[in-house]
Amino acid sequence: DWRGRGLGGLAGAPDPVPVIPQLILDSNAALVVGLGAVGSRVAVALASLGCEVVATSRSARRVETRRLDAVRGVVATITVHPAASLERLLADAAIVVLCLPLSPETKSLFGQAEFDAMRPDAVLVNVARGPVVDQAALIEAIDQRKIASYASDVWYHYPADWAQAASCAPCRDADGRAVDLPPDLTLLSPHRGGAIGIPEVEDRRIDAIAAALRRAADLGVETGLATPPIGLVDIASGY
């Protein structure tokens, strides 16, 4: 369907010509929420595309500047704020990307107050976990056009078996009924970010496990497994 392309010169085109909403990344403000391994790569990628990138991090105690080189040969310097600054930073961001782990601390972290703080022309992208965003607040924000669009690779409901895989509604209301999200405001994908089943990715998983075991053997279990890119699990934090 080419009608949203803005082809006003075509015979029979209406006036004004409908144009699909678009967002220019260059010089626009982007906020990355969570600056772990995934968030760092997202921040570098956005900076490489010309965005003015800021981030929040649980480990930041004050506003600081960090040099990120999470992507081979690409370096970005961004401003990092404490996690408590999230609501204030949302007011300026055209692109918000959630890159948080799911834990008791982050469940429903993004709720009505956060949607209310966003720009109405902003885009929210969730590559964290579904429940990081409060489902009721998300549905309300989309229904009331509080944001321009929502893109997500992660959800609230997943198929329990192969029979459900063809039609498992990612969002459901309090009665368990499927909630249809409007296609003009949402971009949905079925948790493909892990690239499960791709031979190259599975080879990398095996290489990472082998490297971690070698470090554990050489340095001891605690020191070896705490050496990047592998980190120790903090039971209290949930990841």
Side-chain angles (χ1 to χ4, degrees), residues 39-232:
S40 294
R41 285 188 170 233
V42 169
V44 171
L46 288 170
S48 300
L49 292 169
C51 288
E52 300 290 339
V53 183
V54 297
T56 62
S57 173
R58 180 173 173 268
S59 64
R61 296 292 175 262
R62 60 183 182 280
V63 179
E64 58 187 54
T65 300
R66 291 188 191 177
R67 183 179 184 273
L68 303 178
D69 55 359
V71 182
R72 294 183 183 88
V74 182
V75 177
T77 301
I78 68 170
T79 303
V80 183
H81 298 254
S85 303
L86 173 60
E87 192 172 327
R88 176 176 58 81
L89 295 171
L90 287 169
D92 295 325
I95 307 108
V96 180
V97 187
L98 305 179
C99 304
L100 299 159
L102 180 62
S103 69
E105 183 181 356
T106 63
K107 185 177 181 180
S108 296
L109 174 78
F110 212 94
Q112 182 176 352
E114 286 69 32
F115 280 112
D116 289 343
M118 290 182 69
R119 290 167 37 174
D121 62 341
V123 173
L124 177 62
V125 180
N126 189 358
V127 294
R129 288 293 183 267
V132 167
V133 177
D134 182 83
Q135 180 176 260
L138 169 64
I139 294 171
E140 178 186 284
I142 292 174
D143 286 345
Q144 297 182 8
R145 303 299 199 264
K146 290 183 178 180
I147 59 174
S149 62
Y150 179 68
S152 184
D153 188 46
V154 290
W155 293 104
Y156 306 95
H157 302 281
Y158 287 79
D161 52 37
W162 184 252
Q164 293 184 14
S167 59
C168 179
C171 287
R172 300 174 189 166
D173 63 18
D175 297 321
R177 294 171 297 194
V179 175
D180 292 328
L181 299 175
D184 60 324
L185 294 181
T186 54
L187 178 63
L188 319 178
S189 58
H191 207 138
R192 300 185 64 191
I196 297 171
I198 297 178
E200 180 184 359
V201 175
E202 300 306 322
D203 289 344
R204 291 188 179 192
R205 294 188 205 279
I206 293 172
D207 289 344
I209 292 170
L213 292 175
R214 283 195 296 270
R215 287 196 298 273
D218 293 341
L219 304 173
V221 173
E222 186 168 342
T223 301
L225 295 184
T227 303
I230 304 296
L232 290 176

